[in-house]
Amino acid sequence: MDSNRKGAIAEAAIELAAVRLGIPVLKPVAEHGRYDLGFELGDRILRVQCKWGALHEDGSVIKVALQTSWLTPAGYVRSPYGADEIDLVAV
């Protein structure tokens, strides 16, 4: 499964979990921003970056890449998320 499909599955699962918890969920109009969803919590809207996680071999830890990356002719470019771009990470 490619990373785009994994990301779409993760985002859908996180959105469903939030809705089940009674959290209003907002979606950006445009794709490829630094956050995937907005959660309305009280009087705040928090920017949420959704990530696919993988269990460590022994099952004790979930591994998550807290960066975005893309392939260029010169190789992979990686860009970590900053506190000024997102408020929450959901896995």
Side-chain angles (χ1 to χ4, degrees), residues 1-24:
M1 195 171 358
D2 69 29
S3 61
N4 284 336
R5 190 168 185 181
K6 287 179 181 178
I9 291 169
E11 186 176 323
I14 291 162
E15 181 179 356
L16 177 60
V19 170
R20 284 184 170 157
L21 290 169
I23 298 170

Side-chain angles (χ1 to χ4, degrees), residues 31-70:
E31 293 275 332
H32 308 296
R34 294 298 278 174
Y35 60 94
D36 298 310
L37 301 172
F39 286 176
E40 185 180 337
L41 300 175
D43 62 349
R44 295 185 61 202
I45 296 174
L46 300 178
R47 299 163 297 175
V48 182
Q49 176 52 237
C50 300
K51 288 292 184 183
W52 176 276
L55 277 177
H56 189 268
E57 294 80 37
D58 66 6
S60 65
V61 178
I62 299 173
K63 299 185 288 185
V64 181
L66 295 178
Q67 63 185 5
T68 187
S69 63
W70 59 95

